[in-house]
Amino acid sequence: MQMPERISYSVHEAAKAAGIGLTKLREEIRAQRLIARKLGKRTLINVDDLNAWAANLPRVDPPRHAA
């Protein structure tokens, strides 16, 4: 029997999935740019919320070449 897709991550798992450090992830939660939820003592980040946060990060402008 196959396991269903995950719907949430622990804070450590979310940081790893996003490719950022735990401190930066917690900063994003504190700044209310990333939604986190509590279940007892556990902090969970829904996959959809993590994807929405990543999609809303600022774009990088292409470098300007000197003429």
Side-chain angles (χ1 to χ4, degrees):
M1 187 167 153
Q2 189 175 3
M3 294 289 293
E5 285 190 41
R6 296 189 69 161
I7 60 169
S8 64
Y9 292 120
S10 70
V11 174
H12 289 88
E13 293 167 333
K16 186 174 181 180
I20 62 173
L22 192 55
T23 300
K24 178 53 80 174
L25 185 107
R26 287 192 170 128
E27 284 176 14
E28 293 298 295
I29 293 169
R30 269 193 301 278
Q32 298 182 345
R33 290 185 290 263
L34 175 60
I35 297 169
R37 300 167 194 280
K38 294 296 278 187
L39 179 63
K41 292 182 179 182
R42 292 195 65 191
T43 301
L44 300 173
I45 289 116
N46 288 344
V47 171
D48 291 340
D49 292 330
L50 186 62
N51 288 331
W53 166 82
N56 285 310
L57 291 172
R59 292 183 180 193
V60 175
D61 291 329
R64 295 182 185 177
H65 297 286

